[in-house]
Structures are given as structure tokens and as C-alpha cells.
Amino acid sequence: MVQRADINSVLSEIRNMRSQIMENQRVEQDNNIRGRMDGPSRVQETSDAPKFSDMLSQAVGSVNELQQSSSDLKTAYDMGDPNVDITRVMIASEKSSISFEALTQVRNRVVKAYEDIMNMPV
């Protein structure tokens, strides 16, 4: 069976990453405040957080797998495979379409955030 990216799991991973980032920022701010009072201190980096590039490439790969699976099912249905019915083809097609739209939205938000950062005054 093809592993697919469930939209809810992708959203929950994004929320988890956001909460980890917020927690790291909070710790850094606390350490900066303490550092002003007690002298310099270092923030320990967490190495258990996945890299954004890895998560993005995994998401692109899973969307690609869904699209290939959908295409294979369409081809099998067109060839008259008795094990493939139209409902499976339509469900696979919709999953592929929704996952591609979600990936496009993520890309658009990342590009928008990049543009916002680049337009900030220095």
C-alpha cells in the first residue's frame, strides 16, 4: 500500500513545529533576560527537531506518490482491469488533487513569508 500524507497529520506536524519554535524562542528570551542580570549564558540547541527541508522534500515525495498511484489506477481502469472500480479511481484522484492543493498553499505561504522577511528594513 502506498504511504500517503494525510492532511490532518501534516497540519498537526506544522502545529507541533510551531509550538517547538515558540518554546525555543521563549527559552532564548528568558536566557537573554537572565544573561543581562547574571552575565552571558548559552542557549542549548535541540537536535531532535526535523529540518524544514527534510519535511518539505518528504511532503513533495508523498504528493508525487499519490499522483503516481492515481495515474496508475486510472490507467488500470482504462485498460479494463476487473480489480479496479471507478470509486477507487475517483477517491485516489481526489486525494491526489487535495494533497497537491495543500502543498501549493504551503509553498505560497513560505514564499510570502520569505518576501516579507526580504522586505523588512534593516
Side-chain angles (χ1 to χ4, degrees):
M1 178 166 205
V2 176
Q3 293 180 349
R4 64 179 185 87
D6 185 24
I7 299 299
N8 292 328
S9 67
V10 172
L11 289 174
S12 67
E13 287 181 25
I14 290 172
R15 288 183 187 115
N16 287 338
M17 285 180 25
R18 184 184 324 154
S19 65
Q20 287 176 356
I21 290 171
M22 295 300 287
E23 182 64 31
N24 287 343
Q25 288 176 348
R26 204 172 304 125
V27 167
E28 186 175 316
Q29 288 174 350
D30 291 344
N31 286 339
N32 285 340
I33 291 170
R34 283 189 209 123
R36 287 185 213 134
M37 292 183 217
D38 301 335
S41 64
R42 298 197 118 199
V43 176
Q44 293 181 357
E45 294 184 18
T46 58
S47 62
D48 60 345
K51 292 184 179 180
F52 180 75
S53 61
D54 294 339
M55 291 184 65
L56 188 61
S57 64
Q58 181 183 8
V60 169
S62 63
V63 168
N64 185 39
E65 288 177 13
L66 281 173
Q67 288 179 335
Q68 287 178 350
S69 172
S70 174
S71 177
D72 292 344
L73 282 174
K74 286 178 188 177
T75 302
Y77 181 77
D78 288 342
M79 299 295 270
D81 188 350
N83 296 328
V84 179
D85 58 351
I86 189 69
T87 55
R88 282 182 57 199
V89 173
M90 292 306 296
I91 290 172
S93 176
E94 287 301 311
K95 284 180 182 178
S96 170
S97 175
I98 290 171
S99 65
F100 183 75
E101 288 176 21
L103 184 65
T104 303
Q105 290 297 320
V106 170
R107 184 216 48 189
N108 290 343
R109 288 182 184 224
V110 167
V111 169
K112 176 73 170 124
Y114 175 78
E115 289 173 347
D116 289 346
I117 291 170
M118 292 306 293
N119 290 329
M120 285 182 178
V122 177

